[in-house]
């Protein structure tokens, strides 16, 4: 009898952590694959996170081109936002505060005195509901939704947000964020944070990637990376990627690497954002979006970190092109507005197109 009890106790010790991973605040966590031939992605509804993007190289070999972890637990404990959806407001809010319609709001700081990517929990450390899932066929897609309560992380008003990931021909990944302010005006600036290494997540750094960014101005920042409100041209600076050049060609002129928002030049509904090319694999990634800005980030870690398959991601192991309304827009009237009023519809569309250059 005692041996049976001991065995039961051991089983419970093993099963309990799995139950914790499988359910947070009552919602089940799952991994969902979208597949279209040799093009596929995997999504988890924990943080509406992209955990893999598989595309072929110039030799037809399929490889994973986003950094990430092996387990959901690592995503839950991680602090790098690998592949995560970001909200209620992506990027930084200076002093974790703002004033809207005469009311001053104090938010939850999580980067010194400032707020980064929506606070301690934001939209990246919550479980989204699966509204629709089509694994394959002509239109593979998944739609996830999240209800953000009034006062969450200090923000005013309730918000209903959704994100739809869809695979389209040929080798196109569409990501569409939508949101509604349900009862109060509130800032909404949704984005996501895939760490791209189109040579393969385990191929080393991205300094030899050739990059073009379709933005001739950047929003200047202070030492805490909070925008000052000034917008400056990139000409004759290390930030000039108007013509294609290697990411690492001038990175040594910066203290740590790139972490800056570009004001995109186009006024089209879907704006050219950037093009990345990796010579060794032949892969090309073209990014377009409806947002007015893009945060270019080069994984400026001060140490390596363990990723998929035990591979150690070194500093500059990937780049991010996070399309969004300008950081700290809520505190700068000269920036595009991030305020959404009840009855208004927020939509942010991103399109990634993968191709081969031999």
């Amino acid at each position: 009898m005692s041996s049976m009890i001991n065995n039961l106790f051991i089983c419970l010790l093993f099963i309990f952590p799995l139950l914790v991973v499988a359910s947070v605040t009552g919602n089940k966590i799952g991994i969902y694959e979208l597949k279209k031939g040799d093009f596929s992605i995997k999504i988890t509804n924990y943080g509406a996170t992209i955990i893999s993007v598989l595309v072929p190289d110039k030799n037809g070999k399929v490889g994973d081109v986003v950094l990430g972890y092996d387990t959901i637990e690592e995503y839950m404990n991680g602090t790098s936002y690998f592949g995560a959806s970001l909200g209620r407001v992506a990027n930084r809010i200076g002093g974790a505060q703002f004033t809207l319609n005469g009311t001053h709001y104090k938010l939850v700081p999580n980067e010194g005195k400032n707020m980064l990517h929506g606070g301690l929990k934001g939209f990246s450390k919550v479980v989204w509901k699966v509204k629709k899932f089509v694994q394959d066929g002509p239109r593979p897609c998944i739609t996830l939704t999240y209800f953000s309560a009034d006062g969450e992380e200090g923000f005013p008003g309730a918000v209903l947000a959704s994100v739809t990931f869809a695979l389209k021909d040929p080798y196109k990944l569409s990501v569409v964020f939508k949101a509604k302010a349900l009862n109060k005006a509130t800032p909404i600036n949704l984005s996501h944070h895939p760490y791209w290494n189109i040579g393969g997540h385990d191929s080393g750094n991205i300094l030899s990637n050739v990059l073009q960014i379709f933005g001739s101005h950047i929003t200047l920042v202070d030492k805490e990376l909070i925008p000052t409100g000034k917008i400056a041209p990139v000409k004759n600076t290390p930030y000039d990627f108007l013509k294609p050049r290697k990411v690492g060609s001038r990175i040594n002129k910066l203290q740590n690497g790139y972490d800056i928002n570009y004001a995109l030049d186009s006024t089209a509904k879907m704006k050219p954002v950037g093009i990345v090319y990796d010579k060794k694999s032949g892969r090309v990634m073209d990014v377009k979006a409806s947002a007015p800005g893009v945060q270019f980030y080069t994984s400026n870690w001060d140490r390596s970190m363990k990723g998929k398959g035990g591979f150690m991601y070194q500093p500059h192991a990937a780049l991010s092109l996070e399309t969004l309304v300008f950081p700290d827009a809520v505190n700068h009237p000269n920036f595009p507005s991030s305020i959404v009023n009840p009855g208004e519809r927020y939509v942010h569309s991103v399109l990634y197109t993968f191709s081969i250059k031999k």
Side-chain angles (χ1 to χ4, degrees), residues 24-174:
V24 177
T25 64
N27 292 326
K28 289 184 178 180
I29 296 174
I31 295 175
Y32 304 86
E33 183 179 35
L34 306 181
K35 191 170 179 62
K36 202 171 183 65
D38 57 1
F39 180 35
S40 65
I41 68 170
K42 286 184 180 178
I43 303 286
T44 175
N45 60 321
Y46 182 76
T49 298
I50 294 179
I51 59 178
S52 69
V53 177
L54 272 63
V55 290
D57 65 9
K58 63 183 179 183
N59 298 313
K61 183 180 178 181
V62 174
D64 189 353
V65 297
V66 291
L67 273 57
Y69 301 115
D70 286 327
T71 67
I72 296 297
E73 294 100 318
E74 290 172 293
Y75 283 98
M76 295 171 74
N77 296 326
T79 58
S80 297
Y81 302 94
F82 280 162
S85 291
L86 308 173
R88 178 176 309 190
V89 174
N91 213 292
R92 294 174 174 87
I93 295 179
Q97 59 186 321
F98 66 93
T99 299
L100 177 61
N101 296 333
T103 301
H104 188 70
Y105 295 96
K106 292 185 177 180
L107 309 174
V108 178
N110 63 324
E111 188 184 55
K113 65 182 181 181
N114 306 309
M115 172 180 270
L116 175 65
H117 296 327
L120 292 171
K121 184 175 67 170
F123 286 11
S124 60
K125 296 291 184 183
V126 298
V127 183
W128 295 54
K129 291 184 178 180
V130 180
K131 183 179 180 181
K132 180 182 180 181
F133 173 50
V134 179
Q135 183 175 18
D136 48 26
R139 298 180 184 86
C141 66
I142 185 169
T143 298
L144 307 171
T145 63
Y146 177 65
F147 174 78
S148 177
D150 186 2
E152 186 172 283
E153 304 283 12
F155 287 106
V159 168
L160 182 61
S162 72
V163 57
T164 298
F165 301 92
L167 302 187
K168 300 183 176 182
D169 286 330
Y171 299 107
K172 292 183 179 181
L173 168 59
S174 166

Side-chain angles (χ1 to χ4, degrees), residues 31 67 81 123 196 198 224 256 273:
I31 295 175
L67 273 57
Y81 302 94
F123 286 11
W196 299 103
I198 61 172
E224 295 180 337
N256 296 311
V273 174

Side-chain angles (χ1 to χ4, degrees), residues 238-259:
Y239 298 100
D240 186 353
F241 286 92
L242 288 168
K243 292 183 179 179
R245 62 181 176 85
K246 290 183 178 180
V247 171
S249 60
R250 300 183 209 170
I251 200 169
N252 61 350
K253 297 182 182 295
L254 306 174
Q255 184 173 357
N256 296 311
Y258 292 95
D259 193 359

